[in-house]
Structures are given as structure tokens and as C-alpha cells.
Amino acid sequence: AQKVTQAQTEISVVEKEDVTLDCVYETRDTTYYLFWYKQPPSGELVFLIRRNSFDEQNEISGRYSWNFQKSTSSFNFTITASQVVDSAVYFCALEDNNNDMRFGAGTRLTVKP
Amino acid sequence: DTGVSQDPRHKITKRGQNVTFRCDPISEHNRLYWYRQTLGQGPEFLTYFQNEAQLEKSRLLSDRFSAERPKGSFSTLEIQRTEQGDSAMYLCASSLSNEQYFGPGTRLTVT
């Protein structure tokens, strides 16, 4: 069975701090996809990144970076120099071969000015 | 707006009534998904269509729930004999490959 765990329920930082959101997953599939989504207060889920299980290369996009470690089944997300607009709930998700996507419970990030 | 749209955005209904929600995916997307999200939780998968074929159904989709995608374009999700436990945000997403784009959701409140 698939499972995604986001152990951090809430994180609060002050603007300009770096913050890492943890994601640990479980799956028996050898081929799968990992995702991060942002859900701002408006409610709409915003796609951030997709990573397939064969690509362990870390990725950087502006202030966002992702660290995929297959050995520890983790796909962590770091925001550098956080801004107030980064305040949202962030979800990690895993999609298996059957296109069944499982989301973690989310981490609520609050960035204070 | 060429994103995923959902209608209505909010629905308040009395227990026992039937409700139907609509999702219009991004036009070239052949896959369409329904999720349910309750407060403080991540979205839970309900069902998935590839074109008009319903390929996966979660155990969460009891016999009171039915979804259709008659022409492989828009989809409807119907809940019959609603219960208070059905109160949630119902999200629709569409994709062409593996990247799902989500709509704004329909918030259902069952009183």
C-alpha cells in the first residue's frame, strides 16, 4: 500500500529564513511519481514539481529546491529566503502505476513579516 | 480562463438530498480525477477517468456516489442521500500525462 507522511503539521518562520518541509513515502512500485503542491488560502491546489522515481537529481527553481533521496524514501522541499506570500499548506503526493495519487496530510507554513 | 473549472463553488444541502457537481477539464486533457478533501487533510482519491472510461474507483466511493464522463469531456459527480459526513471540498483535476491540474473545488455542506 502507498503512504505519504508529512510529519510537520505546522511550521512558522520569519521572513527571509530558509525552511525545509519533509516528505517520506512508502510504495512497492519501482516506477512512481512524486509531487509537491501548494494550497494557498484561496484553496486551489497549485502544482510545484513532479519527479519520477528514476530521476534522483535534485532540482532548483528560483527560491525552491527539492531533495529526492530514494535510499531514505524522502522527497524534501526547501524554500530559501521565505516570503510572506509563501504562506500556504504544502502537500507532498505519490502517484503509482495505476495513476492512483496519494497525498500527505500537508504542512501548514506561516511566514511572518 | 483555460484552467479546470468546477460548478458550483459552494453547495449547501439538507441531509438526504441528492447533489450533483460538474467539472470541466482543460480541453485537451484526456484524464480526469475526482478527490475529496476534508478540513486539515490532504485530498483523497475518489475516481479517475481516461476519456469516457472510469478506470479506478476508491473504496471511499460508496454506492451513494456515482461519477460520469459521458463524452470524455466534462464530468459529473453525484451524491445521493447525502449525509453530514459528506461535507467536504470536492476537487477535480485533469491531466494529459502525469501532471494534474486542479480546479477550485466545490465546497459541500450538508446540514
Side-chain angles (χ1 to χ4, degrees):
Chain A
Q2 298 193 125
K3 187 177 177 183
V4 177
T5 302
Q6 294 180 254
Q8 304 148 310
T9 308
E10 293 191 34
I11 300 176
S12 180
V13 299
V14 176
E15 208 168 20
K16 297 184 184 174
E17 283 185 23
D18 298 348
V19 58
T20 296
L21 309 182
D22 297 333
C23 174
V24 175
Y25 62 92
E26 295 174 31
T27 181
R28 290 190 202 133
D29 289 350
T30 53
T31 303
Y32 51 89
Y33 290 86
L34 295 164
F35 298 79
W36 276 94
Y37 282 87
K38 175 182 180 179
Q39 191 171 42
S42 60
E44 195 158 337
L45 279 161
V46 177
F47 167 83
L48 295 178
I49 190 171
R50 179 191 68 164
R51 172 68 68 214
N52 81 51
S53 52
F54 296 108
D55 182 1
E56 286 192 71
Q57 196 168 11
N58 292 329
E59 182 157 338
I60 298 174
S61 175
R63 295 184 299 107
Y64 295 169
S65 61
W66 291 270
N67 184 351
F68 178 25
Q69 301 255 347
K70 222 168 171 179
S71 59
T72 55
S73 298
S74 66
F75 187 44
N76 297 338
F77 172 33
T78 297
I79 302 175
T80 303
S82 58
Q83 299 176 1
V84 172
V85 293
D86 296 328
S87 297
V89 181
Y90 290 86
F91 291 99
C92 180
L94 169 70
E95 186 174 32
D96 67 8
N97 283 332
N98 295 319
N99 299 111
D100 183 354
M101 184 177 276
R102 299 294 172 96
F103 284 79
T107 297
R108 180 177 297 280
L109 173 66
T110 302
V111 182
K112 298 177 182 176
Chain B
D1 187 351
T2 56
V4 179
S5 61
Q6 292 187 246
D7 184 67
R9 295 291 304 276
H10 303 274
K11 178 72 178 178
I12 300 174
T13 191
K14 291 186 178 177
R15 192 175 52 190
Q17 298 293 307
N18 299 342
V19 293
T20 300
F21 310 140
R22 177 179 169 125
C23 170
D24 286 90
I26 294 171
S27 60
E28 63 269 23
H29 286 185
N30 59 346
R31 296 177 185 172
L32 187 148
Y33 306 77
W34 284 100
Y35 294 85
R36 181 177 72 185
Q37 186 178 20
T38 52
L39 203 61
Q41 298 297 317
E44 297 171 289
F45 171 79
L46 292 179
T47 191
Y48 151 59
F49 291 85
Q50 179 144 327
N51 299 311
E52 63 273 10
Q54 190 172 17
L55 298 186
E56 286 286 325
K57 285 173 63 173
S58 161
R59 60 177 175 77
L60 293 172
L61 218 64
S62 74
D63 57 5
R64 295 186 299 106
F65 288 70
S66 62
E68 294 182 346
R69 194 182 183 198
K71 296 180 182 177
S73 56
F74 73 92
S75 175
T76 57
L77 177 69
E78 181 182 14
I79 309 174
Q80 296 182 324
R81 306 182 302 281
T82 52
E83 302 172 355
Q84 285 188 316
D86 297 331
S87 295
M89 177 76 86
Y90 290 84
L91 297 167
C92 175
S94 71
S95 76
L96 193 55
S97 57
N98 287 90
E99 194 173 300
Q100 295 185 24
Y101 292 88
F102 283 80
T106 294
R107 182 169 295 285
L108 173 66
T109 303
V110 182
T111 61

PDB file of all heavy atoms in Angstrom, chain B residues 1-35:
ATOM      1  N   ASP B   1     -10.378  32.026 -19.227  1.00  0.00           N
ATOM      2  CA  ASP B   1      -9.671  31.134 -18.307  1.00  0.00           C
ATOM      3  C   ASP B   1      -9.657  29.719 -18.899  1.00  0.00           C
ATOM      4  O   ASP B   1     -10.684  29.157 -19.171  1.00  0.00           O
ATOM      5  CB  ASP B   1     -10.381  31.152 -16.954  1.00  0.00           C
ATOM      6  CG  ASP B   1      -9.601  30.383 -15.900  1.00  0.00           C
ATOM      7  OD1 ASP B   1      -8.611  29.713 -16.260  1.00  0.00           O
ATOM      8  OD2 ASP B   1      -9.995  30.447 -14.733  1.00  0.00           O
ATOM      9  N   THR B   2      -8.470  29.169 -19.098  1.00  0.00           N
ATOM     10  CA  THR B   2      -8.385  27.855 -19.733  1.00  0.00           C
ATOM     11  C   THR B   2      -8.057  26.766 -18.727  1.00  0.00           C
ATOM     12  O   THR B   2      -7.667  25.684 -19.102  1.00  0.00           O
ATOM     13  CB  THR B   2      -7.313  27.883 -20.826  1.00  0.00           C
ATOM     14  OG1 THR B   2      -6.081  28.304 -20.224  1.00  0.00           O
ATOM     15  CG2 THR B   2      -7.691  28.824 -21.940  1.00  0.00           C
ATOM     16  N   GLY B   3      -8.201  27.042 -17.451  1.00  0.00           N
ATOM     17  CA  GLY B   3      -7.915  26.041 -16.439  1.00  0.00           C
ATOM     18  C   GLY B   3      -9.105  25.134 -16.199  1.00  0.00           C
ATOM     19  O   GLY B   3     -10.116  25.182 -16.914  1.00  0.00           O
ATOM     20  N   VAL B   4      -8.984  24.286 -15.178  1.00  0.00           N
ATOM     21  CA  VAL B   4     -10.068  23.402 -14.784  1.00  0.00           C
ATOM     22  C   VAL B   4     -11.127  24.228 -14.046  1.00  0.00           C
ATOM     23  O   VAL B   4     -10.793  25.008 -13.164  1.00  0.00           O
ATOM     24  CB  VAL B   4      -9.542  22.283 -13.866  1.00  0.00           C
ATOM     25  CG1 VAL B   4     -10.680  21.374 -13.419  1.00  0.00           C
ATOM     26  CG2 VAL B   4      -8.450  21.488 -14.579  1.00  0.00           C
ATOM     27  N   SER B   5     -12.377  24.053 -14.428  1.00  0.00           N
ATOM     28  CA  SER B   5     -13.439  24.788 -13.736  1.00  0.00           C
ATOM     29  C   SER B   5     -14.414  23.811 -13.085  1.00  0.00           C
ATOM     30  O   SER B   5     -14.598  22.683 -13.571  1.00  0.00           O
ATOM     31  CB  SER B   5     -14.178  25.725 -14.689  1.00  0.00           C
ATOM     32  OG  SER B   5     -14.784  25.004 -15.732  1.00  0.00           O
ATOM     33  N   GLN B   6     -15.003  24.247 -11.997  1.00  0.00           N
ATOM     34  CA  GLN B   6     -15.959  23.416 -11.267  1.00  0.00           C
ATOM     35  C   GLN B   6     -17.173  24.260 -10.915  1.00  0.00           C
ATOM     36  O   GLN B   6     -17.054  25.434 -10.600  1.00  0.00           O
ATOM     37  CB  GLN B   6     -15.322  22.853  -9.989  1.00  0.00           C
ATOM     38  CG  GLN B   6     -14.227  21.840 -10.290  1.00  0.00           C
ATOM     39  CD  GLN B   6     -13.713  21.167  -9.024  1.00  0.00           C
ATOM     40  OE1 GLN B   6     -12.558  21.344  -8.634  1.00  0.00           O
ATOM     41  NE2 GLN B   6     -14.565  20.382  -8.395  1.00  0.00           N
ATOM     42  N   ASP B   7     -18.315  23.590 -10.931  1.00  0.00           N
ATOM     43  CA  ASP B   7     -19.555  24.280 -10.650  1.00  0.00           C
ATOM     44  C   ASP B   7     -20.507  23.361  -9.881  1.00  0.00           C
ATOM     45  O   ASP B   7     -20.631  22.188 -10.235  1.00  0.00           O
ATOM     46  CB  ASP B   7     -20.215  24.690 -11.981  1.00  0.00           C
ATOM     47  CG  ASP B   7     -21.479  25.499 -11.753  1.00  0.00           C
ATOM     48  OD1 ASP B   7     -21.367  26.633 -11.239  1.00  0.00           O
ATOM     49  OD2 ASP B   7     -22.561  24.986 -12.066  1.00  0.00           O
ATOM     50  N   PRO B   8     -21.156  23.847  -8.808  1.00  0.00           N
ATOM     51  CA  PRO B   8     -20.988  25.179  -8.224  1.00  0.00           C
ATOM     52  C   PRO B   8     -19.728  25.268  -7.370  1.00  0.00           C
ATOM     53  O   PRO B   8     -19.071  24.257  -7.150  1.00  0.00           O
ATOM     54  CB  PRO B   8     -22.240  25.314  -7.353  1.00  0.00           C
ATOM     55  CG  PRO B   8     -22.500  23.903  -6.901  1.00  0.00           C
ATOM     56  CD  PRO B   8     -22.129  23.021  -8.075  1.00  0.00           C
ATOM     57  N   ARG B   9     -19.399  26.429  -6.881  1.00  0.00           N
ATOM     58  CA  ARG B   9     -18.264  26.569  -5.989  1.00  0.00           C
ATOM     59  C   ARG B   9     -18.659  26.216  -4.560  1.00  0.00           C
ATOM     60  O   ARG B   9     -17.831  25.728  -3.785  1.00  0.00           O
ATOM     61  CB  ARG B   9     -17.722  27.994  -6.039  1.00  0.00           C
ATOM     62  CG  ARG B   9     -17.132  28.392  -7.380  1.00  0.00           C
ATOM     63  CD  ARG B   9     -15.829  27.631  -7.673  1.00  0.00           C
ATOM     64  NE  ARG B   9     -14.853  27.804  -6.625  1.00  0.00           N
ATOM     65  CZ  ARG B   9     -14.016  28.835  -6.539  1.00  0.00           C
ATOM     66  NH1 ARG B   9     -14.030  29.773  -7.457  1.00  0.00           N
ATOM     67  NH2 ARG B   9     -13.161  28.919  -5.541  1.00  0.00           N
ATOM     68  N   HIS B  10     -19.905  26.478  -4.242  1.00  0.00           N
ATOM     69  CA  HIS B  10     -20.412  26.148  -2.904  1.00  0.00           C
ATOM     70  C   HIS B  10     -21.798  25.537  -3.037  1.00  0.00           C
ATOM     71  O   HIS B  10     -22.577  25.949  -3.898  1.00  0.00           O
ATOM     72  CB  HIS B  10     -20.523  27.411  -2.026  1.00  0.00           C
ATOM     73  CG  HIS B  10     -19.240  28.150  -1.874  1.00  0.00           C
ATOM     74  ND1 HIS B  10     -18.304  27.841  -0.924  1.00  0.00           N
ATOM     75  CD2 HIS B  10     -18.730  29.185  -2.574  1.00  0.00           C
ATOM     76  CE1 HIS B  10     -17.276  28.664  -1.042  1.00  0.00           C
ATOM     77  NE2 HIS B  10     -17.505  29.485  -2.031  1.00  0.00           N
ATOM     78  N   LYS B  11     -22.067  24.553  -2.169  1.00  0.00           N
ATOM     79  CA  LYS B  11     -23.389  23.946  -2.165  1.00  0.00           C
ATOM     80  C   LYS B  11     -23.760  23.613  -0.735  1.00  0.00           C
ATOM     81  O   LYS B  11     -22.996  22.940  -0.029  1.00  0.00           O
ATOM     82  CB  LYS B  11     -23.380  22.668  -3.014  1.00  0.00           C
ATOM     83  CG  LYS B  11     -24.691  21.913  -3.044  1.00  0.00           C
ATOM     84  CD  LYS B  11     -25.738  22.634  -3.858  1.00  0.00           C
ATOM     85  CE  LYS B  11     -27.020  21.839  -3.922  1.00  0.00           C
ATOM     86  NZ  LYS B  11     -28.068  22.578  -4.690  1.00  0.00           N
ATOM     87  N   ILE B  12     -24.913  24.092  -0.318  1.00  0.00           N
ATOM     88  CA  ILE B  12     -25.446  23.740   0.994  1.00  0.00           C
ATOM     89  C   ILE B  12     -26.704  22.932   0.755  1.00  0.00           C
ATOM     90  O   ILE B  12     -27.578  23.340  -0.017  1.00  0.00           O
ATOM     91  CB  ILE B  12     -25.761  24.999   1.835  1.00  0.00           C
ATOM     92  CG1 ILE B  12     -24.501  25.832   2.037  1.00  0.00           C
ATOM     93  CG2 ILE B  12     -26.371  24.605   3.194  1.00  0.00           C
ATOM     94  CD1 ILE B  12     -24.742  27.162   2.723  1.00  0.00           C
ATOM     95  N   THR B  13     -26.779  21.780   1.380  1.00  0.00           N
ATOM     96  CA  THR B  13     -27.922  20.922   1.166  1.00  0.00           C
ATOM     97  C   THR B  13     -28.345  20.277   2.476  1.00  0.00           C
ATOM     98  O   THR B  13     -27.557  20.198   3.425  1.00  0.00           O
ATOM     99  CB  THR B  13     -27.610  19.841   0.118  1.00  0.00           C
ATOM    100  OG1 THR B  13     -28.814  19.181  -0.269  1.00  0.00           O
ATOM    101  CG2 THR B  13     -26.652  18.794   0.670  1.00  0.00           C
ATOM    102  N   LYS B  14     -29.576  19.830   2.504  1.00  0.00           N
ATOM    103  CA  LYS B  14     -30.057  19.140   3.702  1.00  0.00           C
ATOM    104  C   LYS B  14     -29.768  17.650   3.584  1.00  0.00           C
ATOM    105  O   LYS B  14     -29.793  17.083   2.478  1.00  0.00           O
ATOM    106  CB  LYS B  14     -31.549  19.382   3.882  1.00  0.00           C
ATOM    107  CG  LYS B  14     -31.888  20.820   4.258  1.00  0.00           C
ATOM    108  CD  LYS B  14     -33.357  20.985   4.559  1.00  0.00           C
ATOM    109  CE  LYS B  14     -33.640  22.425   4.981  1.00  0.00           C
ATOM    110  NZ  LYS B  14     -35.073  22.663   5.216  1.00  0.00           N
ATOM    111  N   ARG B  15     -29.530  17.064   4.702  1.00  0.00           N
ATOM    112  CA  ARG B  15     -29.282  15.626   4.750  1.00  0.00           C
ATOM    113  C   ARG B  15     -30.393  14.867   4.033  1.00  0.00           C
ATOM    114  O   ARG B  15     -31.572  15.177   4.203  1.00  0.00           O
ATOM    115  CB  ARG B  15     -29.212  15.187   6.218  1.00  0.00           C
ATOM    116  CG  ARG B  15     -28.686  13.795   6.454  1.00  0.00           C
ATOM    117  CD  ARG B  15     -28.552  13.518   7.924  1.00  0.00           C
ATOM    118  NE  ARG B  15     -29.790  13.805   8.639  1.00  0.00           N
ATOM    119  CZ  ARG B  15     -29.903  13.828   9.955  1.00  0.00           C
ATOM    120  NH1 ARG B  15     -28.851  13.619  10.708  1.00  0.00           N
ATOM    121  NH2 ARG B  15     -31.055  14.085  10.522  1.00  0.00           N
ATOM    122  N   GLY B  16     -29.983  13.908   3.217  1.00  0.00           N
ATOM    123  CA  GLY B  16     -30.954  13.104   2.493  1.00  0.00           C
ATOM    124  C   GLY B  16     -31.202  13.565   1.069  1.00  0.00           C
ATOM    125  O   GLY B  16     -31.769  12.809   0.261  1.00  0.00           O
ATOM    126  N   GLN B  17     -30.784  14.786   0.762  1.00  0.00           N
ATOM    127  CA  GLN B  17     -30.966  15.300  -0.599  1.00  0.00           C
ATOM    128  C   GLN B  17     -29.849  14.784  -1.507  1.00  0.00           C
ATOM    129  O   GLN B  17     -28.780  14.380  -1.046  1.00  0.00           O
ATOM    130  CB  GLN B  17     -30.948  16.832  -0.599  1.00  0.00           C
ATOM    131  CG  GLN B  17     -32.064  17.457   0.208  1.00  0.00           C
ATOM    132  CD  GLN B  17     -33.415  17.197  -0.423  1.00  0.00           C
ATOM    133  OE1 GLN B  17     -33.628  17.478  -1.592  1.00  0.00           O
ATOM    134  NE2 GLN B  17     -34.321  16.635   0.351  1.00  0.00           N
ATOM    135  N   ASN B  18     -30.103  14.813  -2.810  1.00  0.00           N
ATOM    136  CA  ASN B  18     -29.087  14.464  -3.802  1.00  0.00           C
ATOM    137  C   ASN B  18     -28.416  15.736  -4.306  1.00  0.00           C
ATOM    138  O   ASN B  18     -29.068  16.782  -4.421  1.00  0.00           O
ATOM    139  CB  ASN B  18     -29.726  13.742  -4.992  1.00  0.00           C
ATOM    140  CG  ASN B  18     -30.410  12.451  -4.595  1.00  0.00           C
ATOM    141  OD1 ASN B  18     -30.168  11.896  -3.532  1.00  0.00           O
ATOM    142  ND2 ASN B  18     -31.293  11.966  -5.465  1.00  0.00           N
ATOM    143  N   VAL B  19     -27.129  15.644  -4.603  1.00  0.00           N
ATOM    144  CA  VAL B  19     -26.415  16.783  -5.174  1.00  0.00           C
ATOM    145  C   VAL B  19     -25.580  16.307  -6.361  1.00  0.00           C
ATOM    146  O   VAL B  19     -25.158  15.148  -6.412  1.00  0.00           O
ATOM    147  CB  VAL B  19     -25.480  17.473  -4.144  1.00  0.00           C
ATOM    148  CG1 VAL B  19     -26.290  18.142  -3.037  1.00  0.00           C
ATOM    149  CG2 VAL B  19     -24.474  16.502  -3.568  1.00  0.00           C
ATOM    150  N   THR B  20     -25.359  17.207  -7.288  1.00  0.00           N
ATOM    151  CA  THR B  20     -24.523  16.901  -8.454  1.00  0.00           C
ATOM    152  C   THR B  20     -23.564  18.045  -8.688  1.00  0.00           C
ATOM    153  O   THR B  20     -23.957  19.212  -8.668  1.00  0.00           O
ATOM    154  CB  THR B  20     -25.392  16.701  -9.713  1.00  0.00           C
ATOM    155  OG1 THR B  20     -26.291  15.619  -9.495  1.00  0.00           O
ATOM    156  CG2 THR B  20     -24.509  16.374 -10.921  1.00  0.00           C
ATOM    157  N   PHE B  21     -22.308  17.684  -8.906  1.00  0.00           N
ATOM    158  CA  PHE B  21     -21.272  18.672  -9.184  1.00  0.00           C
ATOM    159  C   PHE B  21     -20.748  18.439 -10.597  1.00  0.00           C
ATOM    160  O   PHE B  21     -20.692  17.315 -11.077  1.00  0.00           O
ATOM    161  CB  PHE B  21     -20.088  18.537  -8.208  1.00  0.00           C
ATOM    162  CG  PHE B  21     -20.474  18.472  -6.763  1.00  0.00           C
ATOM    163  CD1 PHE B  21     -19.826  17.612  -5.906  1.00  0.00           C
ATOM    164  CD2 PHE B  21     -21.484  19.284  -6.260  1.00  0.00           C
ATOM    165  CE1 PHE B  21     -20.167  17.547  -4.574  1.00  0.00           C
ATOM    166  CE2 PHE B  21     -21.833  19.225  -4.919  1.00  0.00           C
ATOM    167  CZ  PHE B  21     -21.169  18.344  -4.069  1.00  0.00           C
ATOM    168  N   ARG B  22     -20.278  19.530 -11.195  1.00  0.00           N
ATOM    169  CA  ARG B  22     -19.742  19.429 -12.548  1.00  0.00           C
ATOM    170  C   ARG B  22     -18.289  19.863 -12.586  1.00  0.00           C
ATOM    171  O   ARG B  22     -17.888  20.776 -11.869  1.00  0.00           O
ATOM    172  CB  ARG B  22     -20.562  20.300 -13.493  1.00  0.00           C
ATOM    173  CG  ARG B  22     -20.023  20.312 -14.921  1.00  0.00           C
ATOM    174  CD  ARG B  22     -20.848  21.152 -15.837  1.00  0.00           C
ATOM    175  NE  ARG B  22     -20.175  21.345 -17.116  1.00  0.00           N
ATOM    176  CZ  ARG B  22     -20.706  21.054 -18.289  1.00  0.00           C
ATOM    177  NH1 ARG B  22     -21.940  20.557 -18.362  1.00  0.00           N
ATOM    178  NH2 ARG B  22     -20.041  21.264 -19.411  1.00  0.00           N
ATOM    179  N   CYS B  23     -17.524  19.209 -13.436  1.00  0.00           N
ATOM    180  CA  CYS B  23     -16.125  19.577 -13.644  1.00  0.00           C
ATOM    181  C   CYS B  23     -15.871  19.688 -15.146  1.00  0.00           C
ATOM    182  O   CYS B  23     -16.195  18.765 -15.903  1.00  0.00           O
ATOM    183  CB  CYS B  23     -15.202  18.529 -13.045  1.00  0.00           C
ATOM    184  SG  CYS B  23     -13.455  18.754 -13.496  1.00  0.00           S
ATOM    185  N   ASP B  24     -15.287  20.799 -15.548  1.00  0.00           N
ATOM    186  CA  ASP B  24     -14.844  20.959 -16.936  1.00  0.00           C
ATOM    187  C   ASP B  24     -13.320  20.976 -16.948  1.00  0.00           C
ATOM    188  O   ASP B  24     -12.709  21.910 -16.434  1.00  0.00           O
ATOM    189  CB  ASP B  24     -15.402  22.249 -17.539  1.00  0.00           C
ATOM    190  CG  ASP B  24     -16.868  22.133 -17.858  1.00  0.00           C
ATOM    191  OD1 ASP B  24     -17.705  22.446 -16.981  1.00  0.00           O
ATOM    192  OD2 ASP B  24     -17.181  21.692 -18.984  1.00  0.00           O
ATOM    193  N   PRO B  25     -12.711  19.953 -17.537  1.00  0.00           N
ATOM    194  CA  PRO B  25     -11.244  19.878 -17.520  1.00  0.00           C
ATOM    195  C   PRO B  25     -10.630  20.815 -18.547  1.00  0.00           C
ATOM    196  O   PRO B  25     -11.343  21.428 -19.351  1.00  0.00           O
ATOM    197  CB  PRO B  25     -10.985  18.425 -17.891  1.00  0.00           C
ATOM    198  CG  PRO B  25     -12.121  18.072 -18.798  1.00  0.00           C
ATOM    199  CD  PRO B  25     -13.312  18.831 -18.260  1.00  0.00           C
ATOM    200  N   ILE B  26      -9.326  20.906 -18.538  1.00  0.00           N
ATOM    201  CA  ILE B  26      -8.596  21.606 -19.593  1.00  0.00           C
ATOM    202  C   ILE B  26      -8.850  20.841 -20.888  1.00  0.00           C
ATOM    203  O   ILE B  26      -8.799  19.601 -20.904  1.00  0.00           O
ATOM    204  CB  ILE B  26      -7.093  21.688 -19.250  1.00  0.00           C
ATOM    205  CG1 ILE B  26      -6.920  22.570 -18.008  1.00  0.00           C
ATOM    206  CG2 ILE B  26      -6.287  22.213 -20.419  1.00  0.00           C
ATOM    207  CD1 ILE B  26      -5.530  22.582 -17.423  1.00  0.00           C
ATOM    208  N   SER B  27      -9.129  21.545 -21.955  1.00  0.00           N
ATOM    209  CA  SER B  27      -9.765  20.939 -23.126  1.00  0.00           C
ATOM    210  C   SER B  27      -8.999  19.775 -23.744  1.00  0.00           C
ATOM    211  O   SER B  27      -9.595  18.793 -24.137  1.00  0.00           O
ATOM    212  CB  SER B  27     -10.034  22.001 -24.190  1.00  0.00           C
ATOM    213  OG  SER B  27      -8.820  22.605 -24.585  1.00  0.00           O
ATOM    214  N   GLU B  28      -7.717  19.794 -23.796  1.00  0.00           N
ATOM    215  CA  GLU B  28      -7.003  18.703 -24.463  1.00  0.00           C
ATOM    216  C   GLU B  28      -6.640  17.559 -23.514  1.00  0.00           C
ATOM    217  O   GLU B  28      -6.057  16.564 -23.929  1.00  0.00           O
ATOM    218  CB  GLU B  28      -5.724  19.216 -25.149  1.00  0.00           C
ATOM    219  CG  GLU B  28      -4.687  19.790 -24.195  1.00  0.00           C
ATOM    220  CD  GLU B  28      -4.833  21.275 -23.969  1.00  0.00           C
ATOM    221  OE1 GLU B  28      -5.957  21.797 -24.168  1.00  0.00           O
ATOM    222  OE2 GLU B  28      -3.844  21.905 -23.567  1.00  0.00           O
ATOM    223  N   HIS B  29      -6.999  17.695 -22.238  1.00  0.00           N
ATOM    224  CA  HIS B  29      -6.644  16.668 -21.258  1.00  0.00           C
ATOM    225  C   HIS B  29      -7.574  15.469 -21.356  1.00  0.00           C
ATOM    226  O   HIS B  29      -8.796  15.615 -21.320  1.00  0.00           O
ATOM    227  CB  HIS B  29      -6.690  17.248 -19.846  1.00  0.00           C
ATOM    228  CG  HIS B  29      -5.540  18.149 -19.552  1.00  0.00           C
ATOM    229  ND1 HIS B  29      -5.332  18.690 -18.299  1.00  0.00           N
ATOM    230  CD2 HIS B  29      -4.524  18.596 -20.330  1.00  0.00           C
ATOM    231  CE1 HIS B  29      -4.242  19.433 -18.337  1.00  0.00           C
ATOM    232  NE2 HIS B  29      -3.739  19.399 -19.547  1.00  0.00           N
ATOM    233  N   ASN B  30      -7.009  14.262 -21.435  1.00  0.00           N
ATOM    234  CA  ASN B  30      -7.846  13.074 -21.562  1.00  0.00           C
ATOM    235  C   ASN B  30      -8.132  12.410 -20.215  1.00  0.00           C
ATOM    236  O   ASN B  30      -9.013  11.575 -20.110  1.00  0.00           O
ATOM    237  CB  ASN B  30      -7.208  12.069 -22.518  1.00  0.00           C
ATOM    238  CG  ASN B  30      -5.826  11.628 -22.065  1.00  0.00           C
ATOM    239  OD1 ASN B  30      -5.215  12.237 -21.180  1.00  0.00           O
ATOM    240  ND2 ASN B  30      -5.322  10.565 -22.648  1.00  0.00           N
ATOM    241  N   ARG B  31      -7.389  12.807 -19.183  1.00  0.00           N
ATOM    242  CA  ARG B  31      -7.606  12.188 -17.872  1.00  0.00           C
ATOM    243  C   ARG B  31      -8.284  13.166 -16.923  1.00  0.00           C
ATOM    244  O   ARG B  31      -7.945  14.351 -16.898  1.00  0.00           O
ATOM    245  CB  ARG B  31      -6.281  11.741 -17.269  1.00  0.00           C
ATOM    246  CG  ARG B  31      -5.612  10.656 -18.074  1.00  0.00           C
ATOM    247  CD  ARG B  31      -4.278  10.295 -17.484  1.00  0.00           C
ATOM    248  NE  ARG B  31      -3.575   9.336 -18.334  1.00  0.00           N
ATOM    249  CZ  ARG B  31      -2.322   8.964 -18.148  1.00  0.00           C
ATOM    250  NH1 ARG B  31      -1.638   9.468 -17.144  1.00  0.00           N
ATOM    251  NH2 ARG B  31      -1.766   8.092 -18.946  1.00  0.00           N
ATOM    252  N   LEU B  32      -9.196  12.626 -16.140  1.00  0.00           N
ATOM    253  CA  LEU B  32      -9.941  13.466 -15.206  1.00  0.00           C
ATOM    254  C   LEU B  32     -10.074  12.724 -13.892  1.00  0.00           C
ATOM    255  O   LEU B  32     -10.353  11.517 -13.870  1.00  0.00           O
ATOM    256  CB  LEU B  32     -11.328  13.800 -15.778  1.00  0.00           C
ATOM    257  CG  LEU B  32     -12.183  14.811 -15.009  1.00  0.00           C
ATOM    258  CD1 LEU B  32     -13.041  15.605 -15.976  1.00  0.00           C
ATOM    259  CD2 LEU B  32     -13.028  14.157 -13.950  1.00  0.00           C
ATOM    260  N   TYR B  33      -9.852  13.423 -12.802  1.00  0.00           N
ATOM    261  CA  TYR B  33      -9.819  12.830 -11.473  1.00  0.00           C
ATOM    262  C   TYR B  33     -10.787  13.571 -10.563  1.00  0.00           C
ATOM    263  O   TYR B  33     -10.941  14.782 -10.668  1.00  0.00           O
ATOM    264  CB  TYR B  33      -8.420  12.950 -10.855  1.00  0.00           C
ATOM    265  CG  TYR B  33      -7.292  12.394 -11.688  1.00  0.00           C
ATOM    266  CD1 TYR B  33      -6.800  13.097 -12.776  1.00  0.00           C
ATOM    267  CD2 TYR B  33      -6.711  11.173 -11.370  1.00  0.00           C
ATOM    268  CE1 TYR B  33      -5.759  12.596 -13.539  1.00  0.00           C
ATOM    269  CE2 TYR B  33      -5.662  10.661 -12.122  1.00  0.00           C
ATOM    270  CZ  TYR B  33      -5.190  11.387 -13.206  1.00  0.00           C
ATOM    271  OH  TYR B  33      -4.160  10.873 -13.952  1.00  0.00           O
ATOM    272  N   TRP B  34     -11.354  12.838  -9.612  1.00  0.00           N
ATOM    273  CA  TRP B  34     -12.121  13.443  -8.530  1.00  0.00           C
ATOM    274  C   TRP B  34     -11.461  13.091  -7.204  1.00  0.00           C
ATOM    275  O   TRP B  34     -11.035  11.942  -6.992  1.00  0.00           O
ATOM    276  CB  TRP B  34     -13.559  12.930  -8.516  1.00  0.00           C
ATOM    277  CG  TRP B  34     -14.449  13.511  -9.565  1.00  0.00           C
ATOM    278  CD1 TRP B  34     -14.815  12.949 -10.758  1.00  0.00           C
ATOM    279  CD2 TRP B  34     -15.116  14.770  -9.519  1.00  0.00           C
ATOM    280  NE1 TRP B  34     -15.654  13.776 -11.447  1.00  0.00           N
ATOM    281  CE2 TRP B  34     -15.863  14.908 -10.706  1.00  0.00           C
ATOM    282  CE3 TRP B  34     -15.177  15.815  -8.582  1.00  0.00           C
ATOM    283  CZ2 TRP B  34     -16.643  16.025 -10.998  1.00  0.00           C
ATOM    284  CZ3 TRP B  34     -15.954  16.922  -8.862  1.00  0.00           C
ATOM    285  CH2 TRP B  34     -16.674  17.022 -10.057  1.00  0.00           C
ATOM    286  N   TYR B  35     -11.393  14.102  -6.326  1.00  0.00           N
ATOM    287  CA  TYR B  35     -10.841  13.930  -4.988  1.00  0.00           C
ATOM    288  C   TYR B  35     -11.806  14.555  -3.982  1.00  0.00           C
ATOM    289  O   TYR B  35     -12.586  15.449  -4.313  1.00  0.00           O
ATOM    290  CB  TYR B  35      -9.496  14.645  -4.837  1.00  0.00           C
ATOM    291  CG  TYR B  35      -8.374  14.099  -5.665  1.00  0.00           C
ATOM    292  CD1 TYR B  35      -8.198  14.497  -6.986  1.00  0.00           C
ATOM    293  CD2 TYR B  35      -7.479  13.187  -5.129  1.00  0.00           C
ATOM    294  CE1 TYR B  35      -7.151  14.004  -7.748  1.00  0.00           C
ATOM    295  CE2 TYR B  35      -6.421  12.688  -5.880  1.00  0.00           C
ATOM    296  CZ  TYR B  35      -6.271  13.109  -7.184  1.00  0.00           C
ATOM    297  OH  TYR B  35      -5.233  12.609  -7.933  1.00  0.00           O
TER     298      TYR B  35
END
